Structure formats: C-alpha cells, structure tokens
Amino acid sequence: MTVPGAVLRGALLLVGAVLVVTLGARHLAPLPDLVLVVVASAALRAGPRAGLLTGLAGGWLLDLLPPGSAVLGTQALLYAVCGFAVGLARRPGRVSLVWVVAVIAVAGCGLEAVRALLALAQGVPVDVGSSLGRVLATATVGLLLVPLFNVVERHAEHRRFA
C-alpha cells in the first residue's frame, strides 16, 4: 500500500464513519454500514493485512465518534477481524460483482451476529429485521461503491507527483 492509497482509505473511513453516525442519529433505517464497505474494499484489493489495519482504524473511529462504544475498542476489534476475514476471500485478478456482494453480505452478517450477542449479553433487545435490513443495505451499497473505490484508489496510487 502506498502513502496516497493509505491517505485515501483514511479519508474514506472518516467520511463513512461520520455519515454512519450522523444518519444513525437521525434514525434512518436501514442504514448501510459504510465503514464495512471501505474495509471490505481495502481487504478485497490488498489482502488480509490491509483489511485488518483498515478495519482497526475504522473501528477506532466508530468507537471514538459519539455515541461511541460501551466498551472502548469493541468496534475496532470487530472490524479488524472482519477486515482480515474479508482479505482472506481476496481473489487475484478481476472478480465478479456477485463475489464482492456475497463477501460483504457474509461479513455484514458476521458483524450483526456478534453485535446481537453483545447486545443480548447486556440485556438489550435485538431487532433481527433491522439487522437483516442493514446487511442488505450494506451489500447493495457495496455493489455500487467498491468498484468506484478501487478505481479511485488505483488512480491515486499510480499518479505521479512532480
């Protein structure tokens, strides 16, 4: 990963996290997980290590932005593991959009399952329909944004600075 690529991923994570928190405060549903889309894009493009680091950074952003996390670092750990797992699903060369959507949907299901377990452990009710809607919205947004992110990142990495 090059410096321009890392800066671009950081900016995308920041925009995604702020949008998720802002739109979530307005109780829009189903709200796609934009941070997961950026993490999955990085992991599918550059592998498990980049996915882990991008997931860790994105999770920290979600932990620190209000309302934050009940236990600091929970989201960072979840997104890091998710980024690593998505990176293991990386395929060399061109991949179909069906594969991208499937990987993002499975990652979203895993995140929602762990979040549901954490909520149940704290005695908070879980809305399964809302969770499934969030996974579907995330996969749909991933279908649209992951190819765009890959093109923009490829352009940023190959651009020569004079």
Side-chain angles (χ1 to χ4, degrees):
M1 175 171 38
T2 63
V3 173
V7 170
L8 179 65
R9 283 185 193 156
L12 289 173
L13 281 174
L14 182 61
V15 168
V18 169
L19 276 174
V20 164
V21 169
T22 303
L23 296 175
R26 302 211 186 285
H27 303 291
L28 296 177
L31 184 63
D33 190 345
L34 299 174
V35 174
L36 178 59
V37 172
V38 175
V39 170
S41 175
L44 288 172
R45 178 165 165 72
R49 183 175 174 198
L52 183 129
L53 293 174
T54 307
L56 190 64
W60 276 335
L61 281 171
L62 290 176
D63 277 336
L64 295 174
L65 287 173
S69 182
V71 178
L72 193 61
T74 305
Q75 297 295 322
L77 182 61
L78 284 175
Y79 280 92
V81 170
C82 186
F84 182 79
V86 170
L88 293 176
R90 177 179 184 235
R91 300 285 181 252
R94 295 182 64 82
V95 296
S96 72
L97 290 177
V98 173
W99 178 251
V100 171
V101 170
V103 168
I104 291 174
V106 168
C109 286
L111 274 176
E112 290 299 321
V114 173
R115 286 179 179 150
L117 290 174
L118 290 171
L120 290 173
Q122 295 173 352
V124 177
V126 175
D127 184 8
V128 177
S130 176
S131 294
L132 291 176
R134 200 166 24 254
V135 169
L136 182 62
T138 302
T140 303
V141 169
L143 171 69
L144 301 172
L145 292 183
V146 168
L148 177 66
F149 289 166
N150 283 334
V151 168
V152 170
E153 189 172 336
R154 192 176 314 119
H155 178 70
E157 288 178 349
H158 294 299
R159 187 166 183 217
R160 303 218 186 249
F161 295 100

